[in-house]
Amino acid sequence: MNRRYYQKEIETMSRADMKKLQSERLVKQVKHVWDNVPYYRGLMEAKGVTPDDIHGVDDLHKLPFLTKDDLRDQYPYGLLATDLNNCVRIQSTSGTTGRRVVAFYTQGDVDLWEDCCARAITAIGGTDEDVCQIAYGYGLFTGGPGLNGGSHKVGCLTLPMSSGNTDRQIQFMMDLGATILCCTPSYAAFIGESLREAGYKPEDNKLKAGIFGAEPWTEEMRRDIENALGIKAYDIYGLTETSGPGVAFECEEQSGMHINEDHFIAEIIDPDTGEVLPEGEKGELVFTAITKEAFPLIRYRTRDITVLSREECSCGRTLVKMKKPMGRSDDMLIVRGVNVFPSQIETVLLKEGYTPNYQIVVDRANNTDTLDIYVEMNPESFSDVVKDIESDAGKLAASMKTMLGISPKVHLVAPKTIARSEGKAVRVIDKRKLHD
Ligand code: DLL
């Protein structure tokens, strides 16, 4: 069966109908949370707002925000809005920056999450004739389980590979004729590199598309992956706190991700003041989950920086679009007073013909911040003539300065010396924190 939408009525709903649906769901959700989550009720009381003040989407701004700190403080059950007996699943964040966040799901929550992922797979042309290789991690991480559920709903033959064991990934991809690949963009790049090393050309595989997300990646990296694998590469966004992948997904237009607004209301705020910004302005993305039962976060601050757009999309979907997040406000580095996003560095590298294998090290020497960027040379242009390397590094440092406004120290290193990632890549090592 070939279809363009998974839930057409929702995905192409008029603005007015969507606002009405969101408003009805929001009113019900706020009451549900007020009745069942004493912690959030306390935040509402402190702000002097009750469910009677919330009549629809236009009243959203009256409600208090929730942050990751609230989730950590309330670990594990403090934000649970239903009896634990009604829950069938937990998932959790990787917890690299402090206490883990644990999210709970009822069967209804799992269903709506899998629907969102099924919309994403259908939007890139996935049907029951596809073989969908899922190389996101399975387990507590939401990537594997989310796309797995979506793939089942679409009726694809699902290969639940999980991440890692790249030789086996390649063997199954080739032997079983995988047509869709789902994994992090950094792992997709690594699989592309490994295929080439194993002697395969891009046209040797049957892949037609990939669904890559869970970390920021640039347009340049998209082109690299598309060329390496001979596919179309699509973005997918989500976070554990709001269910997992599928909160937003890219369509064939590849120009931003449609947000599943019937489940998640999006706002953009000024990260410093909390003020809601007009459409088209860049700021922090905030989500309100209006259908989730077990863990229905209201006005959750994602820390992701992006822009929303309601421009008409050629795919026919009316769902609002978010731009590729340019990074998290807490990933943003401040080096010598200048804001630096790893994605800016990646853009320069790929434009200058380098691979997306790099690592950024920030440190402090003599009370001044230092910025060192380690970049792998391409196997093709690899040179061990010191003079050539120094000249290439100098050129790259100059391009970086133009993009960032400050001068980094660029170190060109031999191919394959920077560790590859099978999940989210670790791009930044900030040693300044060790001295604080
Ligand atoms: O990364 C969920 C996911 C799995 C999304 C698979 C897409 C595909 P967390 O581990 O909780 O959940 O991390 C969420 O990852 O707040 C963003 O900062 C970042 N992120 C997720 N998707 C993208 C993306 C999953 N497409 C955090 N572009 C989010 C940029 C992304 N950043």
Side-chain angles (χ1 to χ4, degrees):
M1 190 173 44
N2 205 339
R3 58 180 196 188
R4 203 179 148 110
Y5 307 106
Y6 183 70
Q7 288 164 320
K8 184 170 184 208
E9 202 183 312
I10 296 280
E11 293 174 58
T12 59
M13 189 174 258
S14 75
R15 264 310 329 124
D17 285 350
M18 179 59 78
K19 194 168 174 192
K20 189 160 164 271
L21 180 69
Q22 286 180 325
S23 292
E24 284 163 11
R25 289 180 169 178
L26 176 67
V27 168
K28 216 167 129 213
Q29 188 71 301
V30 170
K31 175 98 182 34
H32 171 58
V33 171
W34 173 271
D35 289 343
N36 294 292
V37 185
Y39 180 77
Y40 194 75
R41 182 184 180 136
L43 294 182
M44 285 176 67
E45 282 168 343
K47 218 171 171 240
V49 47
T50 74
D52 291 339
D53 299 311
I54 308 300
H55 306 289
V57 179
D58 293 337
D59 297 320
L60 192 57
H61 68 99
K62 296 179 185 163
L63 291 161
F65 291 119
L66 270 175
T67 64
K68 201 161 206 148
D69 286 342
D70 292 312
L71 269 58
R72 288 189 179 131
D73 285 353
Q74 293 305 305
Y75 171 91
Y77 297 123
L79 289 159
L80 188 61
T82 185
D83 198 290
L84 202 52
N85 289 346
N86 297 329
C87 297
V88 296
R89 176 93 68 83
I90 70 148
Q91 302 284 166
S92 174
T93 56
S94 52
T96 45
T97 52
R99 233 166 160 183
R100 277 176 177 276
V101 167
V102 180
F104 297 86
Y105 303 68
T106 63
Q107 186 55 50
D109 295 336
V110 173
D111 268 344
L112 79 86
W113 173 27
E114 294 181 349
D115 279 344
C116 289
C117 289
R119 287 181 195 173
I121 294 172
T122 309
I124 60 104
T127 69
D128 57 6
E129 286 168 14
D130 280 297
V131 178
C132 186
Q133 177 161 354
I134 301 176
Y136 285 112
Y138 280 65
L140 289 171
F141 179 56
T142 55
L147 268 311
N148 193 91
S151 174
H152 275 223
K153 286 211 171 194
V154 174
C156 304
L157 173 62
T158 309
L159 311 185
M161 303 295 297
S162 198
S163 59
N165 204 335
T166 308
D167 289 345
R168 192 178 58 189
Q169 301 276 0
I170 290 178
Q171 189 194 340
F172 273 56
M173 176 183 288
M174 291 305 185
D175 293 351
L176 299 175
T179 53
I180 299 175
L181 175 65
C182 304
C183 59
T184 58
S186 40
Y187 195 37
F190 182 34
I191 291 177
E193 195 180 6
S194 307
L195 275 169
R196 186 170 47 84
E197 281 170 10
Y200 292 110
K201 292 198 232 24
E203 57 274 20
D204 293 338
N205 70 63
K206 288 220 172 87
L207 290 174
K208 62 179 187 188
I211 306 184
F212 308 127
E215 62 184 0
W217 54 307
T218 56
E219 287 301 328
E220 289 75 13
M221 183 142 169
R222 186 201 305 263
R223 276 193 292 280
D224 245 42
I225 295 173
E226 289 189 333
N227 292 336
L229 293 172
I231 59 168
K232 285 265 191 199
Y234 298 93
D235 205 351
I236 186 164
Y237 169 89
L239 53 163
T240 315
E241 296 89 318
T242 55
S243 68
V247 170
F249 61 95
E250 231 172 20
C251 62
E252 68 228 24
E253 210 181 72
Q254 291 181 302
S255 64
M257 294 176 271
H258 290 285
I259 296 176
N260 282 312
E261 288 183 276
D262 54 323
H263 297 300
F264 307 102
I265 305 180
E267 297 170 278
I268 294 287
I269 62 162
D270 178 326
D272 298 325
T273 64
E275 181 203 345
V276 179
L277 297 176
E279 194 195 304
E281 286 202 25
K282 188 168 83 189
E284 181 180 340
L285 186 57
V286 172
F287 279 118
T288 298
I290 46 179
T291 47
K292 274 167 28 116
E293 299 163 328
F295 202 62
L297 302 186
I298 292 185
R299 297 201 90 200
Y300 181 64
R301 292 185 60 160
T302 63
R303 298 272 162 210
D304 292 320
I305 303 294
T306 188
V307 176
L308 296 183
S309 156
R310 288 206 179 278
E311 267 172 43
E312 206 173 297
C313 186
S314 60
C315 76
R317 285 179 186 77
T318 48
L319 302 170
V320 68
K321 283 209 269 196
M322 60 181 268
K323 277 213 175 123
K324 262 180 177 306
M326 61 179 300
R328 296 169 61 86
S329 56
D330 46 6
D331 266 359
M332 185 182 77
L333 294 161
I334 303 182
V335 184
R336 285 174 240 146
V338 175
N339 297 349
V340 174
F341 281 99
S343 59
Q344 294 173 300
I345 291 172
E346 188 176 303
T347 297
V348 175
L349 285 181
L350 292 161
K351 263 196 191 135
E352 300 282 330
Y354 290 88
T355 62
N357 300 308
Y358 64 97
Q359 202 148 44
I360 303 163
V361 180
V362 191
D363 205 345
R364 192 170 294 145
N366 304 323
N367 289 323
T368 308
D369 293 331
T370 57
L371 175 62
D372 288 78
I373 307 176
Y374 293 82
V375 182
E376 277 185 15
M377 284 175 272
N378 279 322
E380 304 83 56
S381 56
F382 177 58
S383 154
D384 52 9
V385 180
V386 175
K387 188 161 62 64
D388 293 349
I389 298 178
E390 278 175 359
S391 142
D392 288 349
K395 268 189 229 149
L396 191 52
S399 307
M400 290 283 178
K401 175 156 196 230
T402 310
M403 169 66 107
L404 306 174
I406 53 168
S407 292
K409 195 152 194 244
V410 170
H411 309 261
L412 292 181
V413 297
K416 294 245 146 192
T417 43
I418 294 176
R420 299 293 185 268
S421 162
E422 295 165 350
K424 300 192 192 220
V426 180
R427 302 288 194 200
V428 181
I429 301 170
D430 194 341
K431 294 187 176 165
R432 293 174 300 185
K433 290 181 185 145
L434 300 175
H435 313 310
D436 289 342

